[in-house]
Coordinates of all heavy atoms in Angstrom, one line a residue:
M81 N -30.9 0.9 -20.0 CA -29.5 1.2 -20.3 C -28.6 0.5 -19.3 O -28.7 0.6 -18.1 CB -29.3 2.7 -20.2 CG -28.0 3.2 -20.5 SD -28.0 5.0 -20.4 CE -26.5 5.4 -21.2
T82 N -27.7 -0.3 -19.8 CA -26.8 -1.1 -18.9 C -25.5 -0.3 -18.6 O -25.0 0.5 -19.4 CB -26.4 -2.4 -19.6 OG1 -25.7 -2.2 -20.8 CG2 -27.6 -3.3 -19.8
S83 N -25.0 -0.5 -17.4 CA -23.8 0.2 -17.0 C -22.6 -0.5 -17.6 O -22.5 -1.8 -17.7 CB -23.8 0.1 -15.5 OG -22.5 0.6 -15.0
K84 N -21.6 0.2 -18.0 CA -20.3 -0.4 -18.5 C -19.5 -0.9 -17.3 O -19.6 -0.3 -16.2 CB -19.5 0.7 -19.2 CG -20.1 1.1 -20.5 CD -19.2 1.9 -21.3 CE -19.7 2.2 -22.7 NZ -18.7 2.7 -23.6
P85 N -18.8 -1.9 -17.5 CA -17.9 -2.4 -16.5 C -16.8 -1.4 -16.1 O -16.3 -0.7 -17.0 CB -17.3 -3.7 -17.0 CG -17.4 -3.6 -18.5 CD -18.6 -2.7 -18.8
K86 N -16.5 -1.4 -14.9 CA -15.4 -0.5 -14.5 C -14.1 -1.2 -14.6 O -14.0 -2.4 -14.8 CB -15.6 0.0 -13.0 CG -17.0 0.5 -12.7 CD -17.2 1.9 -13.4 CE -18.5 2.5 -13.0 NZ -19.4 2.8 -14.0
L87 N -13.0 -0.5 -14.4 CA -11.7 -1.1 -14.4 C -11.5 -1.9 -13.1 O -12.0 -1.5 -12.0 CB -10.6 -0.1 -14.4 CG -10.4 0.7 -15.7 CD1 -9.3 1.8 -15.6 CD2 -10.1 -0.2 -16.9
T88 N -10.8 -3.0 -13.2 CA -10.5 -3.8 -11.9 C -9.4 -3.0 -11.2 O -8.7 -2.2 -11.8 CB -10.0 -5.2 -12.3 OG1 -8.8 -5.1 -13.0 CG2 -11.1 -6.0 -13.1
A89 N -9.1 -3.4 -10.0 CA -8.0 -2.8 -9.3 C -6.7 -3.1 -10.0 O -5.8 -2.2 -10.1 CB -7.9 -3.3 -7.9
D90 N -6.5 -4.3 -10.6 CA -5.3 -4.6 -11.3 C -5.2 -3.8 -12.6 O -4.1 -3.4 -13.0 CB -5.2 -6.1 -11.6 CG -4.9 -7.0 -10.4 OD1 -4.4 -6.4 -9.4 OD2 -5.2 -8.2 -10.5
E91 N -6.3 -3.6 -13.3 CA -6.3 -2.7 -14.5 C -5.9 -1.3 -14.1 O -5.1 -0.7 -14.9 CB -7.6 -2.8 -15.2 CG -7.9 -4.2 -15.9 CD -9.3 -4.3 -16.4 OE1 -10.2 -3.8 -15.7 OE2 -9.4 -5.0 -17.4
H92 N -6.4 -0.8 -13.0 CA -6.0 0.5 -12.6 C -4.5 0.6 -12.3 O -3.8 1.6 -12.7 CB -6.8 0.9 -11.3 CG -8.1 1.5 -11.5 ND1 -8.3 2.8 -11.9 CD2 -9.3 1.0 -11.2 CE1 -9.6 3.1 -12.0 NE2 -10.2 2.0 -11.6
A93 N -4.0 -0.4 -11.7 CA -2.5 -0.5 -11.4 C -1.7 -0.4 -12.6 O -0.7 0.3 -12.7 CB -2.2 -1.7 -10.5
D94 N -2.1 -1.2 -13.6 CA -1.3 -1.3 -14.9 C -1.4 0.1 -15.6 O -0.4 0.6 -16.1 CB -1.9 -2.4 -15.8 CG -1.2 -2.5 -17.1 OD1 0.1 -2.6 -17.1 OD2 -1.8 -2.3 -18.2
L95 N -2.6 0.6 -15.7 CA -2.8 1.9 -16.3 C -2.1 3.0 -15.6 O -1.5 3.9 -16.3 CB -4.3 2.2 -16.4 CG -4.8 3.4 -17.2 CD1 -4.3 3.3 -18.6 CD2 -6.3 3.6 -17.1
G96 N -2.0 3.0 -14.3 CA -1.3 4.0 -13.6 C 0.2 4.0 -13.9 O 0.8 5.1 -14.1
K97 N 0.8 2.8 -14.0 CA 2.2 2.7 -14.3 C 2.4 3.2 -15.7 O 3.4 4.0 -16.0 CB 2.7 1.3 -14.2 CG 2.8 0.8 -12.8 CD 3.2 -0.6 -12.7 CE 3.1 -1.1 -11.3 NZ 3.2 -2.6 -11.2
R98 N 1.6 2.8 -16.7 CA 1.7 3.2 -18.0 C 1.6 4.7 -18.2 O 2.4 5.4 -19.0 CB 0.8 2.5 -18.9 CG 1.1 1.0 -18.9 CD 0.0 0.1 -19.5 NE -0.2 0.5 -20.9 CZ -1.3 0.1 -21.6 NH1 -2.2 -0.6 -21.0 NH2 -1.5 0.5 -22.8
L99 N 0.6 5.3 -17.6 CA 0.4 6.8 -17.7 C 1.5 7.6 -17.1 O 1.9 8.6 -17.6 CB -1.0 7.2 -17.1 CG -2.2 6.8 -17.9 CD1 -3.5 7.1 -17.1 CD2 -2.2 7.5 -19.2
A100 N 2.0 7.1 -16.0 CA 3.2 7.7 -15.3 C 4.4 7.7 -16.3 O 5.1 8.7 -16.4 CB 3.5 7.1 -14.0
A101 N 4.6 6.6 -17.0 CA 5.7 6.5 -17.9 C 5.5 7.4 -19.1 O 6.5 8.1 -19.5 CB 5.9 5.1 -18.4
V102 N 4.3 7.5 -19.6 CA 4.1 8.4 -20.8 C 4.2 9.8 -20.3 O 4.8 10.6 -21.0 CB 2.6 8.1 -21.3 CG1 2.2 9.2 -22.3 CG2 2.6 6.8 -22.0
R103 N 3.7 10.2 -19.2 CA 3.8 11.5 -18.6 C 5.3 11.9 -18.5 O 5.7 13.0 -18.8 CB 3.0 11.6 -17.3 CG 2.9 13.0 -16.8 CD 3.7 13.2 -15.5 NE 3.4 14.5 -14.9 CZ 4.4 15.4 -14.7 NH1 5.6 15.1 -15.0 NH2 4.1 16.5 -14.2
N104 N 6.1 11.0 -17.9 CA 7.5 11.3 -17.7 C 8.2 11.5 -19.0 O 9.0 12.5 -19.2 CB 8.1 10.2 -16.9 CG 9.6 10.5 -16.6 OD1 9.9 11.5 -16.1 ND2 10.4 9.5 -16.9
E105 N 7.9 10.7 -20.0 CA 8.5 10.9 -21.3 C 8.1 12.2 -22.0 O 9.0 12.9 -22.6 CB 8.1 9.7 -22.2 CG 8.8 9.7 -23.6 CD 10.3 9.6 -23.6 OE1 10.9 9.2 -22.6 OE2 10.9 10.0 -24.6
L106 N 6.9 12.6 -21.9 CA 6.4 13.9 -22.4 C 7.2 15.0 -21.7 O 7.6 16.0 -22.4 CB 4.9 14.1 -22.2 CG 4.0 13.3 -23.2 CD1 2.6 13.4 -22.8 CD2 4.2 13.7 -24.6
Q107 N 7.4 14.9 -20.4 CA 8.1 16.0 -19.7 C 9.5 16.1 -20.2 O 10.1 17.2 -20.4 CB 8.0 15.8 -18.2 CG 8.6 17.0 -17.5 CD 8.3 16.9 -16.0 OE1 8.0 15.9 -15.4 NE2 8.3 18.1 -15.4
V108 N 10.2 14.9 -20.4 CA 11.6 14.9 -20.9 C 11.6 15.6 -22.3 O 12.5 16.4 -22.5 CB 12.1 13.5 -20.9 CG1 13.4 13.4 -21.7 CG2 12.3 12.9 -19.5
L109 N 10.7 15.2 -23.1 CA 10.7 15.8 -24.5 C 10.4 17.3 -24.4 O 11.0 18.1 -25.2 CB 9.7 15.1 -25.3 CG 10.0 13.6 -25.6 CD1 8.8 13.0 -26.3 CD2 11.3 13.5 -26.4
E110 N 9.5 17.7 -23.5 CA 9.1 19.1 -23.4 C 10.4 19.9 -23.0 O 10.6 21.0 -23.5 CB 8.0 19.2 -22.3 CG 7.5 20.6 -22.1 CD 6.5 20.6 -20.9 OE1 5.9 19.6 -20.6 OE2 6.3 21.7 -20.3
V111 N 11.1 19.4 -22.0 CA 12.3 20.1 -21.6 C 13.4 20.1 -22.7 O 14.0 21.2 -22.9 CB 12.9 19.4 -20.3 CG1 14.3 19.9 -20.0 CG2 12.0 19.6 -19.1
Q112 N 13.5 19.0 -23.4 CA 14.5 19.0 -24.5 C 14.1 20.1 -25.5 O 15.0 20.8 -26.0 CB 14.5 17.6 -25.2 CG 15.4 17.5 -26.3 CD 15.4 16.1 -27.0 OE1 14.6 15.3 -26.7 NE2 16.2 15.9 -28.0
L113 N 12.9 20.2 -25.9 CA 12.5 21.2 -26.9 C 12.6 22.6 -26.3 O 13.0 23.5 -27.0 CB 11.0 21.0 -27.3 CG 10.8 19.8 -28.2 CD1 9.3 19.6 -28.5 CD2 11.6 19.8 -29.5
G114 N 12.3 22.8 -25.0 CA 12.5 24.1 -24.4 C 13.9 24.5 -24.3 O 14.2 25.7 -24.4
N115 N 14.8 23.6 -24.3 CA 16.2 23.9 -24.3 C 16.8 24.2 -25.7 O 17.8 24.8 -25.8 CB 17.1 22.8 -23.6 CG 16.8 22.8 -22.1 OD1 16.5 23.8 -21.5 ND2 17.0 21.6 -21.5
A116 N 16.1 23.7 -26.7 CA 16.6 23.8 -28.1 C 16.0 24.9 -28.9 O 16.6 25.3 -29.8 CB 16.4 22.4 -28.8
Y117 N 14.8 25.3 -28.5 CA 14.1 26.4 -29.2 C 13.6 27.5 -28.3 O 13.5 27.3 -27.1 CB 12.9 25.7 -29.9 CG 13.2 24.7 -31.0 CD1 13.2 23.4 -30.7 CD2 13.6 25.2 -32.3 CE1 13.6 22.5 -31.7 CE2 14.0 24.3 -33.2 CZ 14.0 22.9 -33.0 OH 14.3 22.0 -33.9
P118 N 13.3 28.6 -28.9 CA 12.8 29.7 -28.1 C 11.5 29.3 -27.3 O 10.8 28.4 -27.7 CB 12.4 30.8 -29.2 CG 13.2 30.5 -30.4 CD 13.4 29.0 -30.4
R119 N 11.3 30.0 -26.2 CA 10.2 29.7 -25.4 C 8.9 30.5 -25.7 O 7.9 30.3 -25.1 CB 10.5 29.9 -23.9 CG 11.6 28.9 -23.5 CD 11.9 29.1 -22.0 NE 13.1 28.3 -21.6 CZ 13.0 27.1 -21.1 NH1 11.8 26.6 -20.8 NH2 14.1 26.5 -20.8
S120 N 9.0 31.3 -26.8 CA 7.9 32.0 -27.3 C 7.9 32.1 -28.8 O 8.9 31.8 -29.4 CB 7.8 33.4 -26.7 OG 9.0 34.2 -27.0
G121 N 6.8 32.4 -29.4 CA 6.7 32.5 -30.8 C 6.4 31.2 -31.4 O 6.2 30.2 -30.7
P122 N 6.4 31.1 -32.8 CA 6.0 29.9 -33.5 C 6.9 28.7 -33.2 O 6.4 27.6 -33.2 CB 6.1 30.3 -35.0 CG 6.2 31.8 -35.0 CD 6.7 32.2 -33.7
Q123 N 8.2 28.9 -32.9 CA 9.1 27.8 -32.7 C 8.8 27.1 -31.3 O 9.3 26.0 -31.1 CB 10.5 28.2 -32.8 CG 10.9 28.5 -34.2 CD 12.4 28.9 -34.3 OE1 12.9 29.5 -33.5 NE2 13.0 28.5 -35.4
A124 N 8.1 27.8 -30.5 CA 7.8 27.3 -29.1 C 6.5 26.4 -29.1 O 6.2 25.7 -28.2 CB 7.6 28.4 -28.1
A125 N 5.8 26.4 -30.3 CA 4.6 25.6 -30.3 C 4.7 24.1 -30.0 O 3.9 23.6 -29.2 CB 3.9 25.8 -31.7
P126 N 5.7 23.4 -30.5 CA 5.8 22.0 -30.2 C 5.9 21.8 -28.7 O 5.3 20.9 -28.1 CB 7.0 21.5 -30.9 CG 7.1 22.5 -32.1 CD 6.7 23.8 -31.6
A127 N 6.8 22.5 -28.0 CA 6.9 22.4 -26.6 C 5.6 22.7 -25.8 O 5.3 22.0 -24.9 CB 8.1 23.2 -26.0
R128 N 4.9 23.7 -26.3 CA 3.6 24.1 -25.6 C 2.6 23.0 -25.8 O 1.9 22.7 -24.9 CB 3.1 25.4 -26.2 CG 3.8 26.6 -25.7 CD 3.0 27.9 -26.0 NE 2.7 28.1 -27.4 CZ 3.4 28.7 -28.3 NH1 4.6 29.3 -27.9 NH2 3.1 28.8 -29.5
N129 N 2.6 22.4 -27.0 CA 1.7 21.3 -27.2 C 2.0 20.0 -26.4 O 1.1 19.4 -25.9 CB 1.7 20.9 -28.7 CG 1.0 21.9 -29.6 OD1 0.1 22.6 -29.1 ND2 1.4 22.1 -30.8
L130 N 3.3 19.8 -26.2 CA 3.7 18.7 -25.3 C 3.3 19.0 -23.9 O 2.8 18.1 -23.1 CB 5.2 18.4 -25.4 CG 5.7 17.7 -26.7 CD1 7.2 17.6 -26.6 CD2 5.0 16.4 -26.9
E131 N 3.4 20.3 -23.5 CA 3.0 20.7 -22.1 C 1.5 20.4 -22.0 O 1.0 19.9 -20.9 CB 3.3 22.1 -21.9 CG 2.8 22.6 -20.5 CD 3.1 24.1 -20.3 OE1 3.3 24.8 -21.3 OE2 3.1 24.5 -19.1
K132 N 0.7 20.8 -23.0 CA -0.8 20.6 -22.9 C -1.1 19.1 -22.8 O -2.0 18.7 -22.0 CB -1.5 21.1 -24.2 CG -1.5 22.6 -24.2 CD -2.1 23.1 -25.5 CE -1.9 24.6 -25.7 NZ -2.4 25.1 -27.0
A133 N -0.4 18.2 -23.6 CA -0.6 16.8 -23.5 C -0.2 16.3 -22.1 O -1.0 15.4 -21.5 CB 0.3 16.1 -24.6
R134 N 0.9 16.7 -21.5 CA 1.3 16.3 -20.2 C 0.2 16.7 -19.2 O -0.1 15.9 -18.3 CB 2.6 16.9 -19.8 CG 3.1 16.5 -18.4 CD 4.5 17.2 -18.1 NE 4.5 18.6 -18.3 CZ 4.0 19.5 -17.5 NH1 3.4 19.2 -16.4 NH2 4.2 20.8 -17.8
K135 N -0.3 17.9 -19.3 CA -1.3 18.4 -18.3 C -2.6 17.6 -18.5 O -3.3 17.3 -17.5 CB -1.5 19.9 -18.5 CG -0.4 20.7 -17.9 CD -0.7 22.2 -18.1 CE 0.5 23.0 -17.5 NZ 0.2 24.5 -17.6
A136 N -2.9 17.2 -19.7 CA -4.1 16.4 -19.9 C -4.0 15.0 -19.3 O -4.9 14.5 -18.7 CB -4.4 16.2 -21.4
I137 N -2.8 14.4 -19.4 CA -2.5 13.2 -18.7 C -2.6 13.3 -17.2 O -3.1 12.5 -16.5 CB -1.2 12.6 -19.2 CG1 -1.3 12.1 -20.6 CG2 -0.7 11.4 -18.3 CD1 0.0 11.6 -21.3
D138 N -2.0 14.4 -16.7 CA -2.1 14.7 -15.2 C -3.5 14.7 -14.8 O -3.9 14.2 -13.7 CB -1.4 16.0 -14.9 CG 0.1 15.9 -14.9 OD1 0.7 14.7 -14.9 OD2 0.8 16.9 -14.9
K139 N -4.4 15.4 -15.6 CA -5.8 15.5 -15.2 C -6.5 14.1 -15.3 O -7.3 13.7 -14.4 CB -6.5 16.5 -16.2 CG -8.0 16.6 -16.0 CD -8.4 17.3 -14.7 CE -9.9 17.6 -14.7 NZ -10.6 16.8 -13.6
A140 N -6.2 13.3 -16.3 CA -6.7 12.0 -16.4 C -6.3 11.1 -15.2 O -7.1 10.4 -14.7 CB -6.3 11.3 -17.7
R141 N -5.0 11.2 -14.8 CA -4.5 10.5 -13.7 C -5.3 10.8 -12.4 O -5.7 10.0 -11.6 CB -3.0 10.7 -13.5 CG -2.2 10.0 -14.6 CD -0.7 10.6 -14.5 NE 0.0 10.0 -13.4 CZ 1.1 10.6 -13.0 NH1 1.7 11.6 -13.6 NH2 1.8 10.0 -12.0
C142 N -5.5 12.1 -12.2 CA -6.3 12.6 -11.0 C -7.7 12.0 -11.1 O -8.2 11.5 -10.0 CB -6.3 14.1 -11.0 SG -7.2 14.8 -9.6
D143 N -8.3 12.1 -12.2 CA -9.7 11.6 -12.3 C -9.8 10.1 -12.1 O -10.7 9.5 -11.5 CB -10.3 11.9 -13.7 CG -10.5 13.4 -13.9 OD1 -10.5 14.2 -12.9 OD2 -10.6 13.9 -15.0
L144 N -8.8 9.4 -12.7 CA -8.7 7.9 -12.5 C -8.4 7.5 -11.1 O -9.0 6.5 -10.6 CB -7.7 7.3 -13.5 CG -8.2 7.3 -14.9 CD1 -7.0 7.1 -15.9 CD2 -9.2 6.2 -15.1
E145 N -7.6 8.3 -10.4 CA -7.3 8.0 -9.0 C -8.6 8.1 -8.2 O -8.9 7.3 -7.3 CB -6.2 8.9 -8.5 CG -5.9 8.6 -7.0 CD -4.8 9.5 -6.4 OE1 -5.1 10.7 -6.4 OE2 -3.8 9.0 -6.0
N146 N -9.4 9.2 -8.5 CA -10.6 9.4 -7.8 C -11.6 8.2 -8.0 O -12.2 7.7 -7.1 CB -11.3 10.7 -8.2 CG -10.6 11.9 -7.7 OD1 -9.9 11.8 -6.7 ND2 -10.8 13.0 -8.3
A147 N -11.6 7.7 -9.3 CA -12.4 6.5 -9.6 C -12.0 5.3 -8.9 O -12.8 4.5 -8.3 CB -12.4 6.3 -11.1
L148 N -10.6 5.1 -8.8 CA -10.1 4.0 -8.1 C -10.5 4.0 -6.6 O -11.0 3.0 -6.1 CB -8.5 4.0 -8.2 CG -7.8 3.0 -7.3 CD1 -8.1 1.6 -7.7 CD2 -6.3 3.3 -7.3
F149 N -10.4 5.1 -6.0 CA -10.8 5.2 -4.5 C -12.3 5.0 -4.3 O -12.7 4.4 -3.3 CB -10.3 6.5 -3.9 CG -8.9 6.5 -3.4 CD1 -7.8 6.7 -4.3 CD2 -8.6 6.2 -2.1 CE1 -6.5 6.6 -3.8 CE2 -7.3 6.1 -1.6 CZ -6.2 6.3 -2.5
H150 N -13.1 5.4 -5.3 CA -14.5 5.2 -5.2 C -14.9 3.7 -5.5 O -15.7 3.2 -4.8 CB -15.2 6.1 -6.2 CG -16.7 5.9 -6.3 ND1 -17.5 6.4 -5.3 CD2 -17.5 5.3 -7.2 CE1 -18.8 6.1 -5.5 NE2 -18.8 5.5 -6.7
E151 N -14.3 3.1 -6.5 CA -14.6 1.8 -6.9 C -14.0 0.6 -6.1 O -14.5 -0.4 -6.0 CB -14.2 1.6 -8.4 CG -15.0 2.5 -9.4 CD -14.3 2.6 -10.7 OE1 -13.4 1.9 -11.0 OE2 -14.8 3.5 -11.5
H152 N -12.7 0.9 -5.7 CA -12.0 -0.1 -4.9 C -11.3 0.5 -3.7 O -10.1 0.4 -3.6 CB -10.9 -0.7 -5.8 CG -11.4 -1.3 -7.1 ND1 -12.1 -2.5 -7.2 CD2 -11.4 -0.7 -8.4 CE1 -12.4 -2.7 -8.5 NE2 -12.0 -1.6 -9.2
P153 N -12.1 1.0 -2.8 CA -11.5 1.7 -1.6 C -10.6 0.8 -0.8 O -9.6 1.3 -0.2 CB -12.7 2.1 -0.8 CG -13.9 1.3 -1.3 CD -13.6 0.9 -2.7
E154 N -10.9 -0.5 -0.7 CA -10.0 -1.4 0.1 C -8.7 -1.7 -0.5 O -7.7 -2.0 0.2 CB -10.8 -2.7 0.3 CG -10.9 -3.6 -0.9 CD -12.0 -3.1 -2.0 OE1 -12.8 -2.2 -1.7 OE2 -11.9 -3.7 -3.1
Q155 N -8.5 -1.4 -1.8 CA -7.2 -1.7 -2.5 C -6.6 -0.4 -3.0 O -5.4 -0.4 -3.4 CB -7.5 -2.6 -3.7 CG -7.9 -4.0 -3.3 CD -8.4 -4.8 -4.5 OE1 -9.4 -4.5 -5.1 NE2 -7.6 -5.8 -4.8
A156 N -7.3 0.7 -2.9 CA -6.8 2.0 -3.4 C -5.6 2.5 -2.6 O -5.5 2.4 -1.4 CB -7.9 3.0 -3.4
Q157 N -4.6 3.0 -3.4 CA -3.4 3.6 -2.8 C -3.0 4.8 -3.8 O -3.2 4.7 -5.0 CB -2.2 2.7 -2.7 CG -2.5 1.5 -1.8 CD -1.3 0.5 -1.8 OE1 -0.2 0.9 -2.1 NE2 -1.5 -0.7 -1.5
T158 N -2.4 5.8 -3.2 CA -2.0 7.0 -4.0 C -0.9 6.6 -5.0 O -0.7 7.2 -6.0 CB -1.6 8.2 -3.2 OG1 -0.6 7.8 -2.3 CG2 -2.8 8.7 -2.4
T159 N -0.2 5.5 -4.7 CA 1.0 5.1 -5.5 C 0.5 4.4 -6.8 O 1.3 4.1 -7.7 CB 1.9 4.2 -4.8 OG1 1.2 3.1 -4.2 CG2 2.6 4.9 -3.7
V160 N -0.8 4.1 -6.9 CA -1.3 3.4 -8.1 C -1.1 4.4 -9.3 O -0.6 4.0 -10.4 CB -2.8 3.0 -8.0 CG1 -3.4 2.5 -9.3 CG2 -2.8 1.9 -6.9
Y161 N -1.6 5.6 -9.2 CA -1.5 6.6 -10.3 C -0.3 7.5 -10.2 O 0.1 8.2 -11.1 CB -2.8 7.3 -10.5 CG -3.8 6.5 -11.2 CD1 -4.8 5.8 -10.5 CD2 -3.7 6.3 -12.6 CE1 -5.7 5.0 -11.2 CE2 -4.6 5.5 -13.3 CZ -5.6 4.8 -12.6 OH -6.4 4.0 -13.2
Y162 N 0.4 7.5 -9.0 CA 1.6 8.3 -8.8 C 2.7 7.4 -8.2 O 3.1 7.5 -7.1 CB 1.3 9.5 -7.9 CG 0.2 10.3 -8.5 CD1 -1.1 10.1 -8.2 CD2 0.5 11.3 -9.5 CE1 -2.1 10.9 -8.8 CE2 -0.5 12.1 -10.1 CZ -1.8 11.9 -9.7 OH -2.8 12.6 -10.3
P163 N 3.2 6.4 -9.1 CA 4.2 5.5 -8.6 C 5.5 6.1 -8.4 O 5.8 7.2 -8.9 CB 4.2 4.4 -9.7 CG 3.8 5.2 -10.9 CD 2.8 6.2 -10.5
P164 N 6.3 5.5 -7.5 CA 7.7 6.0 -7.3 C 8.4 6.0 -8.7 O 8.2 5.2 -9.6 CB 8.3 4.9 -6.4 CG 7.2 4.2 -5.8 CD 6.1 4.3 -6.8
R165 N 9.3 7.0 -8.8 CA 10.0 7.2 -10.1 C 10.6 6.0 -10.7 O 10.6 5.7 -11.9 CB 11.1 8.3 -9.8 CG 11.8 8.8 -11.1 CD 12.8 9.7 -10.8 NE 12.9 11.0 -11.2 CZ 12.3 11.7 -12.1 NH1 11.4 11.2 -12.8 NH2 12.6 12.9 -12.5
E166 N 11.2 5.1 -9.8 CA 11.9 3.9 -10.3 C 11.0 2.9 -11.0 O 11.5 2.1 -11.8 CB 12.7 3.2 -9.2 CG 11.9 2.7 -8.1 CD 11.7 3.7 -7.0 OE1 12.1 4.9 -7.1 OE2 11.1 3.4 -6.0
S167 N 9.7 3.0 -10.8 CA 8.8 2.0 -11.5 C 8.3 2.5 -12.8 O 7.7 1.8 -13.5 CB 7.6 1.7 -10.5 OG 6.8 2.8 -10.4
W168 N 8.6 3.8 -13.2 CA 8.1 4.3 -14.5 C 8.6 3.5 -15.7 O 7.9 3.2 -16.6 CB 8.4 5.8 -14.6 CG 7.7 6.7 -13.7 CD1 6.7 6.4 -12.8 CD2 8.0 8.1 -13.5 NE1 6.4 7.5 -12.1 CE2 7.1 8.5 -12.5 CE3 8.9 8.9 -14.0 CZ2 7.1 9.8 -12.0 CZ3 8.9 10.2 -13.6 CH2 8.0 10.7 -12.6
A169 N 9.9 3.3 -15.7 CA 10.5 2.6 -16.8 C 10.0 1.2 -17.0 O 10.0 0.6 -18.1 CB 12.0 2.6 -16.7
K170 N 9.6 0.6 -15.9 CA 9.1 -0.8 -15.9 C 7.8 -1.0 -16.7 O 7.4 -2.1 -17.1 CB 8.9 -1.4 -14.5 CG 10.2 -1.5 -13.7 CD 10.0 -1.9 -12.3 CE 11.3 -1.8 -11.5 NZ 11.0 -2.0 -10.1
A171 N 7.1 0.1 -16.9 CA 5.8 0.0 -17.6 C 6.0 -0.2 -19.1 O 5.1 -0.6 -19.8 CB 5.0 1.3 -17.4
N172 N 7.2 0.1 -19.6 CA 7.4 0.0 -21.1 C 7.8 -1.4 -21.5 O 8.5 -2.1 -21.0 CB 8.5 1.0 -21.5 CG 8.0 2.4 -21.3 OD1 6.8 2.7 -21.4 ND2 8.9 3.4 -21.1

């Protein structure tokens, strides 16, 4: 059984920016729906689903950051998966 190739440090950096942008957009949409619809009951389902998606992305970012530090310790930085806010829009 052969091992699959891991992400390069550059691929981690690109993925980190993209995931941060997606996560930020989901949070914006979640807040928009939370302000427009009740926070409980059937009408709250879309906002709850966006929250679940955002939390899943947060978990993936955490797991990928751990992989980055394991695979590329010399290049790893916490800002790869948690970039400063101003760089989120640049991923799109």
Side-chain angles (χ1 to χ4, degrees):
M81 183 176 193
T82 59
S83 172
K84 288 190 175 192
K86 309 290 188 236
L87 292 175
T88 66
D90 287 341
E91 288 171 325
H92 274 287
D94 179 59
L95 188 57
K97 288 176 189 169
R98 293 168 61 196
L99 286 173
V102 169
R103 188 243 186 241
N104 184 49
E105 181 65 16
L106 285 173
Q107 187 168 25
V108 167
L109 295 172
E110 182 185 337
V111 169
Q112 181 182 4
L113 290 176
N115 290 334
Y117 293 98
R119 296 183 187 263
S120 62
Q123 290 183 323
R128 282 195 307 269
N129 289 331
L130 289 178
E131 178 184 20
K132 289 176 190 175
R134 179 181 50 80
K135 287 180 177 182
I137 288 174
D138 286 343
K139 175 72 171 112
R141 290 166 73 197
C142 180
D143 293 342
L144 286 163
E145 182 182 61
N146 289 337
L148 170 65
F149 274 85
H150 178 74
E151 297 162 11
H152 305 284
E154 69 287 346
Q155 295 169 292
Q157 298 177 24
T158 57
T159 55
V160 170
Y161 281 99
Y162 301 94
R165 188 184 239 344
E166 60 272 6
S167 66
W168 292 352
K170 295 176 188 172
N172 293 332

